[in-house]
Amino acid sequence: MDAYGAGDGVSATPGGLLDLLRVAAVVLDAGGYIGLWSPEAEQLLGYTPEEALTQRADRLLVSPDDRARARELFAQVGTGARWAGVFPLLHRDGTERPVEFRTMRLRDSHGQPHLLGLAADATTVRGVERDLALSHSLVRQTPVGIAVFDTDLRWVGVNPALERLNGVPEADLIGRRVGEVLPGLDVATIESRMRHVLITGKPLLDQQTVGRTAADVVDRAYSESYHRIEDAQGRVLGLAMAVLDVTEREQAAAEVAQARRHLSVVAEAGVRIGTTLDLQQTARELADVAVPHVADLAAVDVLESVVTDGTITPVTGDAQVEFRALAVAAGYLTDAIHAADPVGELATYGPNRIITQCVREAGPILVERVDPPTMRRIARDGRAAQTLRMAGVHSYLAVPLVARGEVLGTLSLYRTINEHPFDEQDRVLASELAARAAICIDNARLYGRERTTALTLQRSLLPPAPARQEGLDIAARYLPALSEVGGDWYDVLPLGPGRTGLVVGDVMGKGVQAAAIMGQLSTATRALARLDLPPAELLHHLDDLTGSLGDAIATCAYGVVDLGRGTCELSSAGHLPPVLIHPDGTAELLDIPGGVPLGVGGVDFGTAEVDFTTGALLALYSDGLVENRGENIDVGLHALTRLLQSSRRPLEQTSDMLLNALRPEPDDDVALLLVRVTG
């Protein structure tokens, strides 16, 4: 038995509408006297049965002004006519109440006529009518699909909007369950929600369902809200369901979410790609960002000319192309990673390869579904193609690495465990990542060319090996920075019998410009040293020269060893103090008075003369040897002094020991000059 009762209606559950209207019943005899008076009549007009029965209705209930009209209507109904309308009646408290009437003539067993009046408060009736009209209008006109179900989850009714969503007219739904009419929906979930609402009485709002109705050939997204229906006494009559097609909303939300994910990936790429000016490191960073944000497997290959000499050779026609594999990354353990070109190896490919086509056309190539012929154009050989197929590669995307209008290489992306093929959104994102990485790779390429040029210039200007000097053991080292080459230099200058000039300098700045300035200062030092000038005077002339070189600034330490006198005379232009190891093994950081960097000008250079006899060791060096970021330079100076004091090795070994201990991976150039008196 459903909420509306048994099929014959005998035992049907009573509705609550009459209770809401509180319909009163009054029976008048042929003379207009009240013969029957219901409790609802007492509620409506305030008179108890004892007060109302046997009273003339017009005298008790009608004001004098309306009695003539009341008697006229009474006579009309007495002839058998029916009357319906609103008539004002007097309440027991003396006020008038508009009352809605339905009247009819009755006859008793003796054939005597009686008048039955069914009455309700007119204001209440109007309110119910208004609510019903509003509800009907809203239900019929709203774009929201509305359905009513009984407690057995069978359709009771639907509005036109839901008819359109379902693609089924209301007549074909009534009395049936959802799955009987719309099997393409998630029936189990829908009916589970219905039962939950019927049992608990708690509504469920904005529940998502994906499926298709008779009105669609593809799945769509729906938002459903469920409410239990109860009467005024709280009896459960069934439930109502409101349905909205939110496919477009969900698609828009998915697009927004995807756009946010893409922005997040791009932002992450901005942080993770290009942390160094190392070509291979940048390629690894690109591959690591692409996996797993865009692909399950990624490979980065650049033109061989970019790696070897920093040039870019355009790819045209049917020429074969040489690539160097720089990075491969996978989002999970897979043999597919072995199908990519091994990192560091050279590979030559013909014009029909997709990677070659991508570079030649300078545009992305998206293969939504990889078939066997296409796989052969992707893989380096048949074995690699078989490996990729077994790994589940089903979609492929090649994106050129383009920077400043030049193609440097490609980013190759594969999907295996991600079942969705690459689409236009993926192409846009991959192109954005490739463009960012390409700029970083090109910067690394240009930096590499400049570093090579600067290092070549730097090494060409340094002495190939310190000149051997009688009575002196000399060792020197120049170690370029891992990043940018600077302007550090050293030199050993013969000045005459028993006299030798020693110099270590450091030009502020990096690259070719610093190396060129270093070359000019080194050449000038050699020329001035031939004049056998005192160290302070030589630095004064170098200061004048540096001032003529624009914004150039350099530090420099210059000393003259005189074995005949057993001394070393030293001057400094803002340079770090030399370290002197005395013959007895004690160490000293030499304090040389005055002296600002070359190029500042206006300050005289001081001179310090120290004993420099057999067994003494002098160390001149640039700041790259002892300076560490985040540490006070005194820490590095102390370490250098301790290592020199404890070393009894030959100077060549001592030089290597100092570099390994203090600067295994220098971030600044290092110039080191060690001189020991041998007797």
Side-chain angles (χ1 to χ4, degrees), residues 265-572:
V265 173
V266 171
E268 181 181 350
V271 174
R272 293 180 57 186
I273 299 176
T275 59
T276 70
L277 286 171
D278 180 79
L279 198 66
Q280 191 162 346
Q281 176 65 23
T282 302
R284 283 197 299 268
E285 292 165 350
L286 170 60
D288 289 341
V289 171
V291 174
H293 292 304
V294 186
D296 301 315
L297 178 68
V300 180
D301 302 88
V302 299
L303 299 175
E304 174 64 6
S305 60
V306 173
V307 179
T308 53
D309 56 16
T311 61
I312 301 175
T313 304
V315 177
T316 58
D318 296 333
Q320 291 188 326
V321 183
E322 290 185 333
F323 291 93
R324 179 77 64 174
L326 293 188
V328 178
Y332 64 104
L333 292 176
T334 174
D335 290 336
I337 199 168
H338 303 300
D341 296 328
V343 173
E345 290 192 8
L346 180 66
T348 303
Y349 295 115
N352 65 327
R353 275 287 301 268
I354 291 183
I355 188 174
T356 307
Q357 179 185 350
C358 178
V359 172
R360 183 174 61 245
E361 297 177 358
I365 299 176
L366 193 159
V367 181
E368 186 175 351
R369 298 291 181 185
V370 177
D371 55 23
T374 306
M375 184 67 80
R376 288 192 292 272
R377 296 182 60 211
I378 294 172
R380 70 173 184 268
D381 53 34
R383 179 178 296 179
Q386 179 64 18
T387 301
L388 293 176
R389 277 195 296 270
M390 293 182 64
V393 171
H394 62 87
S395 193
Y396 175 78
L397 176 60
V399 183
L401 301 173
V402 181
R404 301 176 177 94
E406 302 284 355
V407 181
L408 308 177
T410 62
L411 168 64
S412 297
L413 303 173
Y414 308 77
R415 278 193 175 163
T416 54
I417 59 176
N418 185 339
E419 61 185 18
H420 298 289
F422 289 112
D423 57 21
E424 183 64 17
Q425 293 293 328
D426 297 315
R427 184 195 66 77
V428 172
L429 177 57
S431 297
E432 177 68 20
L433 297 180
R436 288 176 176 266
I439 291 295
C440 297
I441 290 174
D442 197 44
N443 289 340
R445 175 186 70 88
L446 295 174
Y447 159 74
R449 291 180 60 184
E450 182 176 345
R451 183 178 188 276
T452 300
T453 301
L455 187 57
T456 301
L457 176 60
Q458 180 88 327
R459 292 192 181 281
S460 69
L461 296 173
L462 292 172
R468 296 182 60 84
Q469 302 294 317
E470 184 178 355
L472 296 177
D473 185 12
I474 302 174
R477 293 289 185 274
Y478 169 73
L479 186 64
L482 293 178
S483 54
E484 293 185 273
V485 177
D488 294 17
W489 89 95
Y490 67 85
D491 212 343
V492 178
L493 308 169
L495 303 178
R499 290 171 59 78
T500 303
L502 308 174
V503 60
V504 169
D506 182 2
V507 176
M508 304 301 173
K510 303 292 183 182
V512 174
Q513 183 179 11
I517 293 173
M518 180 276 288
Q520 295 181 70
L521 295 180
S522 175
T523 301
T525 303
R526 291 179 183 178
L528 292 169
R530 289 179 177 274
L531 302 177
D532 201 7
L533 299 174
E537 186 177 347
L538 184 143
L539 290 183
H540 176 73
H541 289 294
L542 280 182
D543 183 46
D544 290 340
L545 172 63
T546 307
S548 68
L549 298 178
D551 295 330
I553 294 179
T555 65
C556 182
Y558 179 70
V560 175
V561 176
D562 190 334
L563 294 179
R565 297 176 57 223
T567 62
C568 181
E569 188 179 11
L570 292 152
S571 291
S572 174

Side-chain angles (χ1 to χ4, degrees), residues 218-230:
V218 296
D219 286 350
R220 299 186 69 82
Y222 301 96
S223 171
E224 301 157 358
S225 296
Y226 303 81
H227 300 267
R228 191 166 75 180
I229 301 175
E230 303 172 357

